[in-house]
Amino acid sequence: MSESSVLFKKPSYPINEFLLEYLDRYDRISTVTVFYDDLLRFSGSIVVYDKNDHDTLWVRVYYNEFERAEIDLNLKKIYSLLHSDGNLEIIKFLNIDAIDYCTFGNSKPFRIKVRNILNDNYVHFYVKKADASRIYGLELEDILSPDKINFLVHGDTLIEEHIIGIPGDVFMETLLTKCTETEKAQIAKEFVKFNERCMIRLLGDMRAYNYVVLPIHDFDQVVHRIRPIDFDQQCYEGNFKIYRPQFFKENNPMVQLVKSKLQASSIEQYKNEERAALAKRLHSARKRISRLLHIMSNDFLAPDEHTEKLKMELFRYTNDLNFKNANSMGDVLEASFEFISRNYKNANIFKPGF
């Protein structure tokens, strides 16, 4: 597959008033007045290395003492909003251990390390430039995935909680071969479901470094979950393959695992299970999804040529006229959800992918 279309930097799309109203309705608006641009006013930085002395592409930034005090206080307030519904009593127990800045990728985020001084437990969250695409992706992840994610918006600033896990590329390079055969079969199953979920909800560019693998101990076994961590490519690309993780060369170890561990009938079974789960989530959150899709349908999220290309590829893939009649990326996504809701019990909804 040609990946040229994802090599160019995707533009950042503004948040329109209707999306802001939606975010306010569902308590996604932060009352803390800290902006991404405030954090850009650092005085200097040092490179952050990992335990093997490799450059992490993050730099640790520092500020003059007057700005740092105000920034720290506001970051503690943001933590309290994310994790304790704004309870300011906890602030006296918090310390901002580090503020790191990443120059790699589209969003150029700040990573905040917050430590509880009573027990040294710590968590991270991120401060980024708000982008409508990413916000739609985060909201869809929270509603439709097996996992929840918390985020807040303040003006043109996005605050996003950290998603724990091992980056997919690191997992495949260092841990996959050490898994038992049973664990490998379970990982293959999870990748099939992850691939299906990304395809249906049109979350693109899930190369190995854009998702994490989370090992979970369950009685006498370890099961693995796969979660996306980058949502910039929600409903943007025109090439349908970009919404299917199986087609990225970086994911070849996962694809080969699926082929070696799962029979075709099992692959179809797991795809059907994921469609059924998505259909149930769509049904249970239908009012919220309807509001979100209405806003997306009237928002500009991709160049017209991307929308035209994607809707026709999906029409040829499914023979569903709703795709052909779509006028925006939001319409394309709505057609995808309607297709799944109507047909999730049919074992032949989508053609075999592996």
Side-chain angles (χ1 to χ4, degrees):
M1 179 192 72
S2 171
E3 297 175 9
S4 59
S5 60
V6 294
L7 295 179
F8 298 100
K9 183 176 179 180
K10 172 193 160 292
S12 178
Y13 291 107
I15 306 171
N16 65 37
E17 59 178 309
F18 303 105
L19 179 55
L20 278 175
E21 290 174 4
Y22 172 93
L23 294 171
D24 187 41
R25 180 187 184 97
Y26 293 104
D27 297 322
R28 298 293 198 190
I29 299 297
S30 169
T31 56
V32 179
T33 55
V34 63
F35 293 96
Y36 177 88
D37 289 345
D38 294 335
L39 298 183
L40 286 175
R41 298 199 302 267
F42 50 85
S43 304
S45 64
I46 57 174
V47 176
V48 177
Y49 296 95
D50 65 16
K51 62 182 180 181
N52 298 315
D53 289 329
H54 296 147
D55 189 345
T56 63
L57 302 179
W58 290 83
V59 295
R60 185 147 299 164
V61 300
Y62 53 89
Y63 303 81
N64 68 57
E65 59 179 312
F66 304 106
E67 286 196 324
R68 182 63 192 243
E70 181 180 0
I71 287 171
D72 278 14
L73 177 60
N74 283 328
L75 292 176
K76 291 175 185 177
K77 289 179 179 179
I78 287 174
Y79 171 90
S80 73
L81 281 174
L82 281 173
H83 295 284
S84 63
D85 201 27
N87 177 14
L88 298 183
E89 290 297 316
I90 67 171
I91 286 181
K92 58 180 176 287
F93 304 121
L94 303 177
N95 188 69
I96 306 299
D97 275 11
I99 302 175
D100 298 334
Y101 177 60
C102 182
T103 58
F104 176 76
N106 283 347
S107 57
K108 292 185 171 55
F110 285 91
R111 180 178 62 197
I112 316 301
K113 180 180 179 181
V114 185
R115 178 173 56 88
N116 186 310
I117 62 176
L118 299 179
N119 50 38
D120 283 340
N121 285 325
Y122 65 87
V123 298
H124 294 94
F125 66 86
Y126 300 88
V127 179
K128 307 175 180 180
K129 271 286 189 183
D131 171 33
S133 301
R134 188 173 187 90
I135 290 170
Y136 287 125
L138 286 164
E139 186 68 8
L140 289 166
E141 175 73 6
D142 187 59
I143 299 171
L144 297 178
S145 82
D147 305 286
K148 294 296 182 182
I149 186 167
N150 199 7
F151 68 94
L152 296 167
V153 175
H154 183 77
D156 63 351
T157 299
L158 172 65
I159 300 116
E160 185 181 325
E161 73 176 359
H162 174 66
I163 299 174
I164 63 172
I166 305 164
D169 53 343
V170 175
F171 180 84
M172 284 184 274
E173 182 179 345
T174 63
L175 297 174
L176 182 58
T177 57
K178 300 177 183 178
C179 293
T180 66
E181 296 306 307
T182 300
E183 289 169 352
K184 289 178 181 178
Q186 187 274 323
I187 294 167
K189 168 186 173 181
E190 179 66 15
F191 187 77
V192 169
K193 292 193 169 191
F194 175 68
N195 187 79
E196 197 74 4
R197 194 158 60 245
C198 292
M199 178 182 69
I200 293 168
R201 56 165 286 192
L202 300 182
L203 178 61
D205 199 17
M206 282 298 107
R207 284 179 268 194
Y209 51 77
N210 285 334
Y211 61 82
V212 293
V213 180
L214 178 61
I216 302 172
H217 290 265
D218 180 34
F219 293 105
D220 59 346
Q221 65 174 336
V222 178
V223 297
H224 297 78
R225 300 286 292 274
I226 300 177
R227 297 190 61 183
I229 57 173
D230 192 326
F231 302 91
D232 289 342
Q233 295 282 339
Q234 176 67 52
C235 294
Y236 175 73
E237 294 291 343
N239 185 345
F240 182 38
K241 287 185 177 180
I242 291 174
Y243 299 103
R244 305 171 71 187
Q246 70 187 79
F247 286 108
F248 286 102
K249 66 179 185 295
E250 293 90 344
N251 294 330
N252 278 345
M254 289 293 195
V255 175
Q256 295 306 315
L257 196 65
V258 171
K259 290 181 176 179
S260 66
K261 291 296 179 182
L262 302 180
Q263 297 180 358
S265 58
S266 294
I267 293 173
E268 286 305 304
Q269 173 195 338
Y270 298 140
K271 289 164 70 175
N272 286 333
E273 288 178 6
E274 189 60 31
R275 296 171 200 146
L278 274 169
K280 290 175 183 176
R281 294 183 194 118
L282 285 166
H283 179 72
S284 64
R286 58 189 181 277
K287 289 185 178 178
R288 187 167 182 170
I289 285 289
S290 294
R291 289 191 182 101
L292 189 65
L293 288 174
H294 178 72
I295 297 167
M296 291 183 74
S297 295
N298 293 282
D299 205 348
F300 184 80
L301 296 175
D304 291 341
E305 57 268 26
H306 288 198
T307 303
E308 288 299 314
K309 178 177 171 57
L310 180 62
K311 77 177 192 179
M312 293 309 298
E313 286 192 17
L314 283 166
F315 170 66
R316 289 189 291 270
Y317 194 67
T318 64
N319 294 318
D320 189 325
L321 283 172
N322 285 334
F323 288 109
K324 189 175 183 179
N325 296 331
N327 295 314
S328 67
M329 279 295 189
D331 289 343
V332 176
L333 185 61
E334 183 174 10
S336 177
F337 288 166
E338 287 181 357
F339 190 73
I340 290 300
S341 297
R342 288 196 313 268
N343 302 300
Y344 75 92
K345 291 183 180 179
N346 182 349
N348 295 312
I349 293 177
F350 285 115
K351 302 169 187 176
F354 289 92

